[in-house]
Amino acid sequence: MKKFFLFAAAAIAAMSMNAAVWEFKTDTINTVEAVKAMASNTTFILTQKTSSDNQPYVAVDYKLGGADAELYFTNAPIEVKFTYKNSGDKTECLKFYNSYLQINRKGVIMTIYCMPGDDIIITPKSYSKACEFAVTGADKAVVAFEKNTETPIVLKATDSEVVFDSSAPSDANAYAQACQFVSIQVGGSGNNEAIDNVEAGVKAVKTFENGQLVIIKNGVKYNALGVAL
């Protein structure tokens, strides 16, 4: 009975540890300073701007002449990276407002870091445009955010990196490749095989070392897959 209790308690602790949500109206990134505070690396140009309805936002500009650009959030509620590759000279591929983020161009790739088995829930803001993503690392190969809807998209992670690629929609006429998100949630038990027998009541700590997720429990370090380091 005691062994079962410890197993159950550890599993619940691991599930709670993994659950995270980035709600953009709470953890806002509508200033350049806020973006830089949550990001460990960016090769985009960040510009503070004001919308036509006087809302401040950060324009994430791509002006690197064909090279990859990256914005990697490691200090945010979830670990997520945005990259962009396009041979054109169009700018503002991303926009960060007070309560939502906007993917603004074809070619944006969003990578969410998690644990296999986690649920990923992305809630859109109703918008006049739509966007389709090819997905790797999850139980769905394609997800579409239709225009004028706030219905969440739910996926199950099958890898520690779930990649959403807007580069190649199946129907170019149906999708404008622009959408808005109000929150991204990552949660679930994941793969806890390596940490399911630890003592109950000991808090696990998540940190990042060399850009990788590290879980520390009972003084032992584990990677995102639950394997002891």
Side-chain angles (χ1 to χ4, degrees):
M1 178 65 73
K2 181 179 180 181
K3 183 178 180 180
F4 175 79
F5 172 77
L6 291 175
F7 177 89
I12 293 172
M15 183 178 295
S16 299
M17 173 189 65
N18 290 333
V21 59
W22 192 351
E23 189 170 359
F24 297 105
K25 68 179 180 181
T26 302
D27 297 290
T28 60
I29 47 173
N30 68 330
T31 66
V32 171
E33 292 76 14
V35 172
K36 290 182 176 180
M38 290 191 186
S40 62
N41 181 59
T42 179
T43 50
F44 285 103
I45 296 173
L46 306 177
T47 307
Q48 191 72 53
K49 295 189 176 182
T50 303
S51 65
S52 58
D53 57 350
N54 295 318
Q55 298 299 316
Y57 73 95
V58 175
V60 182
D61 290 344
Y62 172 76
K63 298 178 181 178
L64 298 179
D68 290 315
E70 177 180 287
L71 178 56
Y72 193 2
F73 289 102
T74 55
N75 301 317
I78 63 171
E79 185 184 3
V80 59
K81 179 172 68 177
F82 293 95
T83 54
Y84 184 75
K85 185 175 183 179
N86 196 307
S87 59
D89 59 357
K90 293 181 178 179
T91 62
E92 293 193 19
C93 55
L94 290 164
K95 295 182 179 181
F96 299 139
Y97 288 87
N98 179 58
S99 59
Y100 61 93
L101 70 82
Q102 179 172 318
I103 292 178
N104 205 48
R105 301 230 180 265
K106 177 181 178 181
V108 173
I109 299 173
M110 178 175 67
T111 302
I112 296 175
Y113 296 87
C114 56
M115 296 182 70
D118 279 350
D119 290 321
I120 296 176
I121 304 172
I122 303 176
T123 303
K125 184 178 185 294
S126 182
Y127 188 44
S128 59
K129 298 180 180 180
C131 193
E132 181 185 71
F133 295 89
V135 182
T136 57
D139 62 344
K140 296 178 181 178
V142 176
V143 294
F145 293 88
E146 305 293 351
K147 63 181 181 180
N148 303 321
T149 182
E150 297 182 355
T151 301
I153 296 292
V154 182
L155 304 92
K156 178 77 69 175
T158 58
D159 199 346
S160 58
E161 297 182 10
V162 180
V163 180
F164 298 80
D165 187 346
S166 69
S167 297
S170 59
D171 185 348
N173 295 319
Y175 296 96
Q177 295 310 85
C179 54
Q180 298 174 341
F181 300 152
V182 296
S183 69
I184 302 173
Q185 181 175 326
V186 178
S189 57
N191 183 351
N192 303 305
E193 180 178 350
I195 55 175
D196 59 8
N197 291 317
V198 297
E199 291 294 326
V202 178
K203 184 178 180 181
V205 177
K206 281 200 306 183
T207 186
F208 292 96
E209 295 183 3
N210 298 322
Q212 300 297 317
L213 174 66
V214 176
I215 303 167
I216 303 173
K217 187 121 179 175
N218 282 349
V220 180
K221 293 181 178 181
Y222 303 88
N223 65 15
L225 298 177
V227 177
L229 300 176

